[in-house]
Amino acid sequence: MSADEACFDRAEGCFVINVKPSKVGMEPREALEELVRRSPASYGLPSPDSDPFDIIVGHSRFSDPAGAALRDRWYPQAGLVHFLHTSPVRLDWSKGRWEKGARNAAIERAVMRRADVVTGVGSLLTSEARRLSEQVVRVPALHEFIPGTEIGERVAGPHGGDTLKLLLPGRATDEIKGVEGAIEAVGLLRNPKVRERYGMTRDVHLTVRGGPHPVKQPEQYREWQGIVEKYGAIGAVTLLPFSTDPAELRADREGADAIVMPSLHEGFGLVATEGAGRGVPVLVNEESGAAGFLRKAPDGIGEPCIVRGARRAEAWAQAIAALDADLDRRWENAGRLYEFLRQYSWEHGGQAMVDAAIQTTPVTLLPGMQPSYGNITTQAPGGMLQSTGQSREPWMVSQRYDGSTGWSPNSRPTQAPWHQRRRLVRSQGLT
């Protein structure tokens, strides 16, 4: 189910029920919750008497409050699966919105208390789902879901010539995508001293597919051209507007020596696997689910793709130089990664998730409040369900989470303005 649709499967296909807010200002997720209070027959779902569903799947705070209500009210025999698609606190932490992150985390927690399985999209979000779903008595099972890779025709490369050509598919206007840092890295690599220090012998050019449109958004376009100029990257960066045209996107990939994903934080990062699914080398930030997935690749072929210290332009400049120096081998590794990704399709992901849910006995609070702890599973190649041999544990007192997935619990934005630090302290009490 999505934020504004409820979907369910029958033998003859998938039925979609559109949900419209009943009043001004109502969010789509609230409209979905309102809908499921009504009898299922009124919007086309089968009678609860027939026990029609084995599992109900909700997606984060957008549709799982409604999914939980649907299960609890009408289909109590079904298992409830809760997907986590973003780290609610970490995402808003990056944008200075502490309170919003705390509110969103509270919504996620409330639904996870009622779920039978919590599922993170990739290892980073699975760790976050684990943290958010910790409880004292009833701890749901935990499963790592791997997004499917759409395998396309392999791109021929590397291209050679005097310039290393990089492609960054991402919305430049979203600060979390780290586009400005990538531009700064390219500017650094135009400095002769930096080039010599990192052993960079060729020029580098970055194409950003997701910048402001020069005609439709002239002011934003000029602003970003100013950013390019600020970092000394004029002539080395091309800003192209967002596009869904398959021909344009294919031409972008075919003209690139590598695809970069310099996000400050990325729950997963399909940009990486979309590029790797065409056999193109990739560079990804360490704080991403994609980095965790690349570490699953055989013989360590994914490790060179991961940029550590990804918040610093210097780290990216050094990683780009290392890529250039080892480009032939990176393309060989990309070919091996291309074959590895065939074992992680969307169908494989769905099969492992369903198996995880079916093998988990729906949990109820037993008389005497007896503890119940679910298992921990992950998706193996070919859609196989793999047990980690571990089970969940009860919540234990620990240091408050500070909104920084993957960072030390002791991290604090000590240089932030006083009012922002105060907001952080308040949000920690809620998350």
Side-chain angles (χ1 to χ4, degrees):
M1 292 191 289
S2 68
D4 57 356
E5 298 175 335
C7 298
F8 62 93
D9 287 318
R10 287 180 177 167
E12 62 269 30
C14 178
F15 294 74
V16 177
I17 297 93
N18 292 319
V19 181
K20 295 182 179 180
S22 60
K23 55 187 176 183
V24 176
M26 175 181 280
E27 293 186 15
R29 64 181 177 85
E30 294 174 318
L32 193 54
E33 288 183 72
E34 182 182 72
L35 176 73
V36 301
R37 295 192 190 104
R38 293 158 40 193
S39 170
S42 67
Y43 44 91
L45 289 180
S47 168
D49 296 334
S50 63
D51 191 17
F53 301 125
D54 294 313
I55 59 174
I56 292 173
V57 181
H59 292 277
S60 291
R61 60 189 178 276
F62 305 108
S63 68
D64 210 20
L70 185 70
R71 192 278 301 273
D72 294 346
R73 182 182 291 258
W74 302 109
Y75 304 107
Q77 300 305 312
L80 180 64
V81 179
H82 177 92
F83 264 85
L84 188 69
H85 289 278
T86 64
S87 172
V89 179
R90 181 69 181 98
L91 190 63
D92 287 301
W93 164 286
S94 301
K95 301 180 180 182
R97 303 183 307 202
W98 324 113
E99 294 97 333
K100 182 178 179 181
R103 288 196 303 271
N104 289 339
I107 296 172
E108 301 281 359
R109 281 187 184 278
V111 180
M112 288 178 175
R113 283 197 293 268
R114 299 153 71 184
D116 298 295
V117 182
V118 293
T119 301
V121 181
S123 59
L124 189 72
L125 291 177
T126 301
S127 295
E128 180 67 336
R130 182 175 191 158
R131 184 192 72 82
L132 286 170
S133 62
E134 287 179 344
Q135 298 169 68
V136 177
V137 176
R138 181 182 181 281
V139 185
L142 179 70
H143 176 68
E144 179 186 356
F145 175 90
I146 305 298
T149 300
E150 296 181 4
I151 301 295
E153 183 177 354
R154 282 187 61 178
V155 173
H159 303 296
D162 298 328
T163 303
L164 176 71
K165 298 177 181 179
L166 305 176
L167 172 65
L168 195 168
R171 301 183 303 278
T173 53
D174 187 343
E175 59 187 307
I176 199 109
K177 299 301 180 183
V179 176
E180 184 170 348
I183 294 172
E184 183 179 358
V186 170
L188 285 172
L189 289 171
R190 303 192 88 191
N191 183 314
K193 292 183 178 179
V194 174
R195 289 163 60 86
E196 183 179 359
R197 182 163 71 247
Y198 294 150
M200 187 80 179
T201 58
R202 295 198 294 167
D203 291 332
V204 59
H205 185 275
L206 174 69
T207 297
V208 178
R209 170 61 78 177
H213 196 286
V215 176
K216 299 177 181 178
Q217 301 166 297
E219 292 185 7
Q220 284 185 302
Y221 184 78
R222 285 193 296 271
E223 178 183 346
W224 275 93
Q225 288 293 351
I227 292 172
V228 173
E229 184 176 3
K230 171 186 174 181
Y231 293 116
I234 292 291
V237 174
T238 299
L239 296 170
L240 298 177
F242 177 80
S243 176
T244 57
D245 184 340
E248 288 187 334
L249 300 180
R250 182 173 60 252
D252 288 345
R253 290 190 296 267
E254 291 177 349
D257 288 306
I259 293 173
V260 298
M261 189 183 77
S263 306
L264 305 182
H265 165 84
E266 199 73 59
F268 189 83
L270 291 176
V271 162
T273 50
E274 286 171 356
R278 270 74 177 179
V280 181
V282 296
L283 289 178
V284 305
N285 60 312
E286 185 174 29
E287 194 182 325
S288 66
F293 174 62
L294 288 169
R295 289 192 171 105
K296 296 177 183 287
D299 303 323
I301 59 174
E303 284 292 336
C305 305
I306 302 169
V307 182
R308 292 157 183 83
R311 280 173 165 265
R312 298 183 297 109
E314 292 86 352
W316 275 89
Q318 190 170 4
I320 291 168
L323 167 77
D324 187 45
D326 196 33
L327 195 58
D328 287 338
R329 182 173 298 180
R330 297 290 181 93
W331 274 87
E332 291 177 8
N333 285 351
R336 296 178 63 191
L337 188 59
Y338 175 85
E339 295 301 325
F340 172 72
L341 289 172
R342 291 184 184 278
Q343 303 175 72
Y344 288 92
S345 67
W346 288 107
E347 290 78 8
H348 291 145
Q351 183 60 59
M353 186 275 292
V354 168
D355 288 345
I358 295 298
Q359 293 180 26
T360 297
T361 303
V363 182
T364 57
L365 292 178
L366 302 175
M369 298 291 286
Q370 296 178 15
S372 175
Y373 310 127
N375 293 324
I376 303 175
T377 58
T378 187
Q379 178 184 331
M384 298 295 292
L385 182 67
Q386 180 178 330
S387 172
T388 63
Q390 300 175 328
S391 62
R392 303 296 306 277
E393 297 178 350
W395 176 85
M396 299 183 67
V397 176
S398 62
Q399 290 182 317
R400 288 287 187 185
Y401 178 67
D402 67 351
S404 52
T405 298
W407 294 356
S408 165
N410 295 319
S411 297
R412 295 290 185 273
T414 54
Q415 303 303 315
W418 175 84
H419 69 280
Q420 290 187 353
R421 296 201 301 273
R422 183 182 178 194
R423 289 178 184 175
L424 173 61
V425 172
R426 292 174 58 195
S427 71
Q428 287 174 334
L430 299 174
T431 63

